[in-house]
mmCIF file of all heavy atoms in Angstrom:
data_model
loop_
_atom_site.group_PDB
_atom_site.id
_atom_site.type_symbol
_atom_site.label_atom_id
_atom_site.label_comp_id
_atom_site.label_asym_id
_atom_site.label_seq_id
_atom_site.Cartn_x
_atom_site.Cartn_y
_atom_site.Cartn_z
ATOM 1 N N ASN A 375 139.145 92.520 91.904
ATOM 2 C CA ASN A 375 138.570 91.796 93.047
ATOM 3 C C ASN A 375 139.613 91.014 93.838
ATOM 4 O O ASN A 375 139.280 90.050 94.518
ATOM 5 C CB ASN A 375 137.475 90.845 92.553
ATOM 6 C CG ASN A 375 136.321 91.592 91.907
ATOM 7 O OD1 ASN A 375 135.892 92.629 92.413
ATOM 8 N ND2 ASN A 375 135.833 91.080 90.778
ATOM 9 N N THR A 376 140.870 91.431 93.729
ATOM 10 C CA THR A 376 141.962 90.714 94.387
ATOM 11 C C THR A 376 142.574 91.576 95.483
ATOM 12 O O THR A 376 142.784 92.778 95.297
ATOM 13 C CB THR A 376 143.050 90.336 93.361
ATOM 14 O OG1 THR A 376 142.452 89.575 92.310
ATOM 15 C CG2 THR A 376 144.150 89.515 94.013
ATOM 16 N N ARG A 377 142.854 90.953 96.612
ATOM 17 C CA ARG A 377 143.495 91.660 97.723
ATOM 18 C C ARG A 377 144.914 92.070 97.329
ATOM 19 O O ARG A 377 145.659 91.286 96.753
ATOM 20 C CB ARG A 377 143.531 90.734 98.939
ATOM 21 C CG ARG A 377 144.206 91.313 100.177
ATOM 22 C CD ARG A 377 143.943 90.400 101.364
ATOM 23 N NE ARG A 377 144.738 90.797 102.525
ATOM 24 C CZ ARG A 377 145.797 90.146 102.980
ATOM 25 N NH1 ARG A 377 146.186 89.037 102.363
ATOM 26 N NH2 ARG A 377 146.453 90.563 104.043
ATOM 27 N N VAL A 378 145.298 93.313 97.646
ATOM 28 C CA VAL A 378 146.626 93.834 97.338
ATOM 29 C C VAL A 378 147.362 94.094 98.647
ATOM 30 O O VAL A 378 146.851 94.780 99.537
ATOM 31 C CB VAL A 378 146.552 95.126 96.501
ATOM 32 C CG1 VAL A 378 147.958 95.659 96.222
ATOM 33 C CG2 VAL A 378 145.815 94.872 95.188
ATOM 34 N N VAL A 379 148.581 93.537 98.765
ATOM 35 C CA VAL A 379 149.405 93.685 99.960
ATOM 36 C C VAL A 379 150.716 94.345 99.552
ATOM 37 O O VAL A 379 151.303 93.981 98.530
ATOM 38 C CB VAL A 379 149.695 92.309 100.607
ATOM 39 C CG1 VAL A 379 150.579 92.463 101.827
ATOM 40 C CG2 VAL A 379 148.396 91.609 100.970
ATOM 41 N N VAL A 380 151.188 95.328 100.334
ATOM 42 C CA VAL A 380 152.434 96.029 100.039
ATOM 43 C C VAL A 380 153.445 95.735 101.144
ATOM 44 O O VAL A 380 153.134 95.835 102.328
ATOM 45 C CB VAL A 380 152.205 97.553 99.911
ATOM 46 C CG1 VAL A 380 153.528 98.266 99.640
ATOM 47 C CG2 VAL A 380 151.211 97.856 98.801
ATOM 48 N N SER A 381 154.669 95.377 100.744
ATOM 49 C CA SER A 381 155.751 95.123 101.697
ATOM 50 C C SER A 381 156.985 95.891 101.251
ATOM 51 O O SER A 381 157.464 95.731 100.131
ATOM 52 C CB SER A 381 156.066 93.622 101.767
ATOM 53 O OG SER A 381 157.148 93.367 102.638
ATOM 54 N N GLY A 382 157.497 96.754 102.133
ATOM 55 C CA GLY A 382 158.674 97.544 101.793
ATOM 56 C C GLY A 382 158.752 98.779 102.650
ATOM 57 O O GLY A 382 157.791 99.154 103.324
ATOM 58 N N GLY A 383 159.902 99.442 102.636
ATOM 59 C CA GLY A 383 160.068 100.652 103.430
ATOM 60 C C GLY A 383 159.986 100.350 104.911
ATOM 61 O O GLY A 383 160.684 99.475 105.430
ATOM 62 N N ASN A 384 159.112 101.071 105.607
ATOM 63 C CA ASN A 384 158.957 100.881 107.051
ATOM 64 C C ASN A 384 158.009 99.751 107.405
ATOM 65 O O ASN A 384 157.825 99.444 108.583
ATOM 66 C CB ASN A 384 158.452 102.181 107.700
ATOM 67 C CG ASN A 384 159.462 103.301 107.587
ATOM 68 O OD1 ASN A 384 160.666 103.059 107.601
ATOM 69 N ND2 ASN A 384 158.979 104.525 107.458
ATOM 70 N N LYS A 385 157.405 99.146 106.395
ATOM 71 C CA LYS A 385 156.445 98.072 106.641
ATOM 72 C C LYS A 385 156.853 96.847 105.823
ATOM 73 O O LYS A 385 156.436 96.677 104.685
ATOM 74 C CB LYS A 385 155.029 98.524 106.270
ATOM 75 C CG LYS A 385 153.963 97.491 106.602
ATOM 76 C CD LYS A 385 152.589 97.951 106.138
ATOM 77 C CE LYS A 385 151.524 96.889 106.420
ATOM 78 N NZ LYS A 385 150.183 97.294 105.910
ATOM 79 N N VAL A 386 157.690 96.018 106.408
ATOM 80 C CA VAL A 386 158.161 94.803 105.741
ATOM 81 C C VAL A 386 157.467 93.607 106.385
ATOM 82 O O VAL A 386 157.547 93.415 107.600
ATOM 83 C CB VAL A 386 159.689 94.659 105.854
ATOM 84 C CG1 VAL A 386 160.155 93.359 105.227
ATOM 85 C CG2 VAL A 386 160.381 95.842 105.194
ATOM 86 N N LEU A 387 156.791 92.835 105.574
ATOM 87 C CA LEU A 387 156.064 91.664 106.069
ATOM 88 C C LEU A 387 156.972 90.443 106.059
ATOM 89 O O LEU A 387 157.762 90.239 105.132
ATOM 90 C CB LEU A 387 154.830 91.405 105.195
ATOM 91 C CG LEU A 387 153.841 92.571 105.029
ATOM 92 C CD1 LEU A 387 152.719 92.171 104.087
ATOM 93 C CD2 LEU A 387 153.277 92.995 106.377
ATOM 94 N N ASP A 388 156.838 89.622 107.081
ATOM 95 C CA ASP A 388 157.616 88.380 107.141
ATOM 96 C C ASP A 388 157.002 87.291 106.277
ATOM 97 O O ASP A 388 157.719 86.530 105.626
ATOM 98 C CB ASP A 388 157.723 87.893 108.587
ATOM 99 C CG ASP A 388 158.583 88.808 109.442
ATOM 100 O OD1 ASP A 388 159.510 89.424 108.886
ATOM 101 O OD2 ASP A 388 158.320 88.907 110.650
ATOM 102 N N ALA A 389 155.689 87.214 106.294
ATOM 103 C CA ALA A 389 155.004 86.142 105.561
ATOM 104 C C ALA A 389 153.596 86.583 105.209
ATOM 105 O O ALA A 389 153.027 87.495 105.831
ATOM 106 C CB ALA A 389 154.965 84.861 106.393
ATOM 107 N N VAL A 390 153.039 85.951 104.180
ATOM 108 C CA VAL A 390 151.644 86.172 103.787
ATOM 109 C C VAL A 390 150.945 84.821 103.732
ATOM 110 O O VAL A 390 151.581 83.768 103.622
ATOM 111 C CB VAL A 390 151.542 86.881 102.415
ATOM 112 C CG1 VAL A 390 152.096 88.292 102.492
ATOM 113 C CG2 VAL A 390 152.253 86.079 101.332
ATOM 114 N N ASP A 391 149.625 84.846 103.810
ATOM 115 C CA ASP A 391 148.844 83.612 103.758
ATOM 116 C C ASP A 391 148.898 82.994 102.373
ATOM 117 O O ASP A 391 149.034 83.695 101.355
ATOM 118 C CB ASP A 391 147.389 83.892 104.142
ATOM 119 C CG ASP A 391 147.246 84.312 105.599
ATOM 120 O OD1 ASP A 391 148.063 83.853 106.422
ATOM 121 O OD2 ASP A 391 146.341 85.113 105.904
ATOM 122 N N ASN A 392 148.766 81.696 102.342
ATOM 123 C CA ASN A 392 148.733 80.976 101.071
ATOM 124 C C ASN A 392 147.319 81.069 100.507
ATOM 125 O O ASN A 392 146.545 80.117 100.538
ATOM 126 C CB ASN A 392 149.146 79.517 101.292
ATOM 127 C CG ASN A 392 149.397 78.798 99.974
ATOM 128 O OD1 ASN A 392 149.378 79.396 98.907
ATOM 129 N ND2 ASN A 392 149.638 77.494 100.058
ATOM 130 N N ALA A 393 146.988 82.247 99.990
ATOM 131 C CA ALA A 393 145.657 82.546 99.472
ATOM 132 C C ALA A 393 145.802 83.570 98.358
ATOM 133 O O ALA A 393 146.828 84.261 98.266
ATOM 134 C CB ALA A 393 144.762 83.090 100.591
ATOM 135 N N PRO A 394 144.801 83.706 97.485
ATOM 136 C CA PRO A 394 144.914 84.654 96.370
ATOM 137 C C PRO A 394 145.177 86.078 96.859
ATOM 138 O O PRO A 394 144.452 86.604 97.703
ATOM 139 C CB PRO A 394 143.549 84.555 95.688
ATOM 140 C CG PRO A 394 143.017 83.222 96.068
ATOM 141 C CD PRO A 394 143.521 82.963 97.450
ATOM 142 N N ALA A 395 146.244 86.695 96.349
ATOM 143 C CA ALA A 395 146.593 88.071 96.699
ATOM 144 C C ALA A 395 147.690 88.540 95.767
ATOM 145 O O ALA A 395 148.462 87.738 95.229
ATOM 146 C CB ALA A 395 147.059 88.173 98.149
ATOM 147 N N LEU A 396 147.749 89.848 95.550
ATOM 148 C CA LEU A 396 148.855 90.474 94.840
ATOM 149 C C LEU A 396 149.780 91.078 95.888
ATOM 150 O O LEU A 396 149.377 91.957 96.643
ATOM 151 C CB LEU A 396 148.341 91.558 93.891
ATOM 152 C CG LEU A 396 147.553 91.078 92.671
ATOM 153 C CD1 LEU A 396 146.841 92.248 92.010
ATOM 154 C CD2 LEU A 396 148.467 90.393 91.674
ATOM 155 N N VAL A 397 151.005 90.594 95.957
ATOM 156 C CA VAL A 397 151.966 91.053 96.962
ATOM 157 C C VAL A 397 152.986 91.946 96.262
ATOM 158 O O VAL A 397 153.812 91.468 95.485
ATOM 159 C CB VAL A 397 152.663 89.869 97.658
ATOM 160 C CG1 VAL A 397 153.643 90.377 98.703
ATOM 161 C CG2 VAL A 397 151.632 88.939 98.287
ATOM 162 N N ILE A 398 152.907 93.253 96.522
ATOM 163 C CA ILE A 398 153.816 94.220 95.912
ATOM 164 C C ILE A 398 154.971 94.440 96.883
ATOM 165 O O ILE A 398 154.763 94.892 98.009
ATOM 166 C CB ILE A 398 153.107 95.561 95.630
ATOM 167 C CG1 ILE A 398 151.705 95.331 95.035
ATOM 168 C CG2 ILE A 398 153.959 96.438 94.742
ATOM 169 C CD1 ILE A 398 151.699 94.614 93.715
ATOM 170 N N ALA A 399 156.182 94.133 96.469
ATOM 171 C CA ALA A 399 157.327 94.193 97.391
ATOM 172 C C ALA A 399 158.543 94.782 96.702
ATOM 173 O O ALA A 399 158.756 94.578 95.500
ATOM 174 C CB ALA A 399 157.653 92.801 97.927
ATOM 175 N N THR A 400 159.338 95.500 97.479
ATOM 176 C CA THR A 400 160.633 95.980 96.995
ATOM 177 C C THR A 400 161.670 94.882 97.212
ATOM 178 O O THR A 400 161.466 93.974 98.029
ATOM 179 C CB THR A 400 161.046 97.256 97.746
ATOM 180 O OG1 THR A 400 160.946 97.017 99.156
ATOM 181 C CG2 THR A 400 160.158 98.422 97.370
ATOM 182 N N PRO A 401 162.796 94.919 96.491
ATOM 183 C CA PRO A 401 163.812 93.861 96.643
ATOM 184 C C PRO A 401 164.285 93.731 98.085
ATOM 185 O O PRO A 401 164.620 94.711 98.746
ATOM 186 C CB PRO A 401 164.948 94.346 95.733
ATOM 187 C CG PRO A 401 164.267 95.156 94.682
ATOM 188 C CD PRO A 401 163.156 95.857 95.395
ATOM 189 N N GLY A 402 164.298 92.500 98.564
ATOM 190 C CA GLY A 402 164.698 92.227 99.937
ATOM 191 C C GLY A 402 163.548 92.218 100.919
ATOM 192 O O GLY A 402 163.709 91.739 102.045
ATOM 193 N N ALA A 403 162.390 92.763 100.514
ATOM 194 C CA ALA A 403 161.237 92.821 101.413
ATOM 195 C C ALA A 403 160.168 91.815 101.023
ATOM 196 O O ALA A 403 159.035 91.890 101.513
ATOM 197 C CB ALA A 403 160.640 94.233 101.405
ATOM 198 N N GLU A 404 160.503 90.860 100.152
ATOM 199 C CA GLU A 404 159.513 89.879 99.712
ATOM 200 C C GLU A 404 159.163 88.936 100.861
ATOM 201 O O GLU A 404 160.041 88.230 101.371
ATOM 202 C CB GLU A 404 160.046 89.059 98.531
ATOM 203 C CG GLU A 404 160.422 89.878 97.321
ATOM 204 C CD GLU A 404 161.889 90.290 97.300
ATOM 205 O OE1 GLU A 404 162.551 90.149 98.348
ATOM 206 O OE2 GLU A 404 162.367 90.743 96.245
ATOM 207 N N PRO A 405 157.911 88.896 101.282
ATOM 208 C CA PRO A 405 157.533 87.959 102.345
ATOM 209 C C PRO A 405 157.455 86.532 101.811
ATOM 210 O O PRO A 405 157.214 86.308 100.624
ATOM 211 C CB PRO A 405 156.156 88.458 102.792
ATOM 212 C CG PRO A 405 155.614 89.216 101.622
ATOM 213 C CD PRO A 405 156.790 89.753 100.866
ATOM 214 N N THR A 406 157.689 85.577 102.671
ATOM 215 C CA THR A 406 157.494 84.176 102.297
ATOM 216 C C THR A 406 156.001 83.848 102.352
ATOM 217 O O THR A 406 155.197 84.611 102.896
ATOM 218 C CB THR A 406 158.264 83.245 103.237
ATOM 219 O OG1 THR A 406 157.831 83.489 104.588
ATOM 220 C CG2 THR A 406 159.757 83.496 103.139
ATOM 221 N N VAL A 407 155.648 82.705 101.812
ATOM 222 C CA VAL A 407 154.260 82.249 101.824
ATOM 223 C C VAL A 407 154.130 81.149 102.869
ATOM 224 O O VAL A 407 154.883 80.171 102.850
ATOM 225 C CB VAL A 407 153.831 81.730 100.434
ATOM 226 C CG1 VAL A 407 152.389 81.230 100.474
ATOM 227 C CG2 VAL A 407 153.986 82.829 99.386
ATOM 228 N N LYS A 408 153.211 81.327 103.794
ATOM 229 C CA LYS A 408 153.018 80.340 104.855
ATOM 230 C C LYS A 408 152.575 79.004 104.255
ATOM 231 O O LYS A 408 151.567 78.929 103.547
ATOM 232 C CB LYS A 408 151.962 80.828 105.847
ATOM 233 C CG LYS A 408 152.345 82.105 106.575
ATOM 234 C CD LYS A 408 151.200 82.596 107.450
ATOM 235 C CE LYS A 408 151.542 83.918 108.128
ATOM 236 N NZ LYS A 408 150.387 84.460 108.904
ATOM 237 N N ASP A 409 153.357 77.963 104.521
ATOM 238 C CA ASP A 409 153.026 76.606 104.067
ATOM 239 C C ASP A 409 152.796 76.546 102.563
ATOM 240 O O ASP A 409 151.888 75.857 102.081
ATOM 241 C CB ASP A 409 151.776 76.091 104.796
ATOM 242 C CG ASP A 409 151.960 76.085 106.303
ATOM 243 O OD1 ASP A 409 153.042 75.706 106.758
ATOM 244 O OD2 ASP A 409 151.013 76.472 107.018
ATOM 245 N N GLY A 410 153.599 77.267 101.808
ATOM 246 C CA GLY A 410 153.429 77.224 100.357
ATOM 247 C C GLY A 410 154.428 78.112 99.652
ATOM 248 O O GLY A 410 155.487 78.444 100.185
ATOM 249 N N ALA A 411 154.090 78.499 98.421
ATOM 250 C CA ALA A 411 154.957 79.351 97.613
ATOM 251 C C ALA A 411 154.075 80.193 96.695
ATOM 252 O O ALA A 411 152.867 79.949 96.550
ATOM 253 C CB ALA A 411 155.938 78.506 96.798
ATOM 254 N N TYR A 412 154.670 81.185 96.087
ATOM 255 C CA TYR A 412 153.929 82.017 95.138
ATOM 256 C C TYR A 412 153.634 81.217 93.870
ATOM 257 O O TYR A 412 154.441 80.402 93.430
ATOM 258 C CB TYR A 412 154.734 83.261 94.774
ATOM 259 C CG TYR A 412 154.876 84.254 95.901
ATOM 260 C CD1 TYR A 412 156.040 84.309 96.666
ATOM 261 C CD2 TYR A 412 153.851 85.140 96.205
ATOM 262 C CE1 TYR A 412 156.177 85.221 97.701
ATOM 263 C CE2 TYR A 412 153.977 86.053 97.246
ATOM 264 C CZ TYR A 412 155.142 86.081 97.989
ATOM 265 O OH TYR A 412 155.266 86.982 99.027
ATOM 266 N N GLY A 413 152.476 81.499 93.288
ATOM 267 C CA GLY A 413 152.145 80.852 92.032
ATOM 268 C C GLY A 413 152.829 81.501 90.848
ATOM 269 O O GLY A 413 153.051 80.865 89.814
ATOM 270 N N ALA A 414 153.180 82.786 90.988
ATOM 271 C CA ALA A 414 153.852 83.517 89.915
ATOM 272 C C ALA A 414 154.561 84.720 90.520
ATOM 273 O O ALA A 414 154.227 85.181 91.613
ATOM 274 C CB ALA A 414 152.858 83.972 88.850
ATOM 275 N N ALA A 415 155.547 85.215 89.781
ATOM 276 C CA ALA A 415 156.253 86.440 90.175
ATOM 277 C C ALA A 415 156.423 87.310 88.944
ATOM 278 O O ALA A 415 156.796 86.825 87.876
ATOM 279 C CB ALA A 415 157.612 86.121 90.789
ATOM 280 N N LEU A 416 156.118 88.584 89.081
ATOM 281 C CA LEU A 416 156.304 89.566 88.020
ATOM 282 C C LEU A 416 157.424 90.506 88.474
ATOM 283 O O LEU A 416 157.285 91.196 89.489
ATOM 284 C CB LEU A 416 155.018 90.359 87.764
ATOM 285 C CG LEU A 416 153.709 89.559 87.663
ATOM 286 C CD1 LEU A 416 152.534 90.492 87.390
ATOM 287 C CD2 LEU A 416 153.812 88.485 86.594
ATOM 288 N N LEU A 417 158.514 90.533 87.740
ATOM 289 C CA LEU A 417 159.677 91.340 88.098
ATOM 290 C C LEU A 417 159.702 92.569 87.191
ATOM 291 O O LEU A 417 160.052 92.477 86.013
ATOM 292 C CB LEU A 417 160.962 90.528 87.957
ATOM 293 C CG LEU A 417 160.950 89.149 88.625
ATOM 294 C CD1 LEU A 417 162.293 88.440 88.442
ATOM 295 C CD2 LEU A 417 160.608 89.256 90.108
ATOM 296 N N LEU A 418 159.304 93.714 87.757
ATOM 297 C CA LEU A 418 159.104 94.921 86.961
ATOM 298 C C LEU A 418 160.349 95.797 86.896
ATOM 299 O O LEU A 418 161.243 95.713 87.741
ATOM 300 C CB LEU A 418 157.956 95.745 87.553
ATOM 301 C CG LEU A 418 156.601 95.045 87.731
ATOM 302 C CD1 LEU A 418 155.568 96.041 88.214
ATOM 303 C CD2 LEU A 418 156.160 94.390 86.439
ATOM 304 N N ASP A 419 160.350 96.677 85.887
ATOM 305 C CA ASP A 419 161.330 97.758 85.765
ATOM 306 C C ASP A 419 162.765 97.276 85.900
ATOM 307 O O ASP A 419 163.551 97.804 86.685
ATOM 308 C CB ASP A 419 161.053 98.848 86.808
ATOM 309 C CG ASP A 419 159.763 99.607 86.518
ATOM 310 O OD1 ASP A 419 159.532 99.914 85.344
ATOM 311 O OD2 ASP A 419 159.013 99.867 87.457
ATOM 312 N N ALA A 420 163.120 96.276 85.102
ATOM 313 C CA ALA A 420 164.494 95.772 85.144
ATOM 314 C C ALA A 420 165.495 96.866 84.808
ATOM 315 O O ALA A 420 166.599 96.905 85.360
ATOM 316 C CB ALA A 420 164.647 94.606 84.174
ATOM 317 N N GLY A 421 165.109 97.773 83.908
ATOM 318 C CA GLY A 421 166.017 98.848 83.519
ATOM 319 C C GLY A 421 166.418 99.732 84.676
ATOM 320 O O GLY A 421 167.551 100.227 84.738
ATOM 321 N N ALA A 422 165.493 99.957 85.616
ATOM 322 C CA ALA A 422 165.808 100.802 86.769
ATOM 323 C C ALA A 422 166.904 100.183 87.625
ATOM 324 O O ALA A 422 167.683 100.899 88.262
ATOM 325 C CB ALA A 422 164.549 101.017 87.607
#
């Protein structure tokens, strides 16, 4: 029941709202949070 947002490739977001959402981003394409910060970050596939 959570909104999923993707940032990367040809679609890089500058910022996302400070509201519940899963923001999937490639390195360098992480959007900032408007008037806030992320509550958590999951850094996947370190081996890659």
Side-chain angles (χ1 to χ4, degrees):
N375 297 318
T376 304
R377 178 170 171 253
V378 179
V379 179
V380 178
S381 177
N384 295 328
K385 184 183 178 183
V386 177
L387 305 177
D388 291 330
V390 294
D391 294 329
N392 191 6
L396 291 167
V397 181
I398 317 298
T400 51
E404 301 92 347
T406 57
V407 179
K408 297 175 183 176
D409 302 319
Y412 291 100
L416 314 181
L417 311 181
L418 305 185
D419 291 318

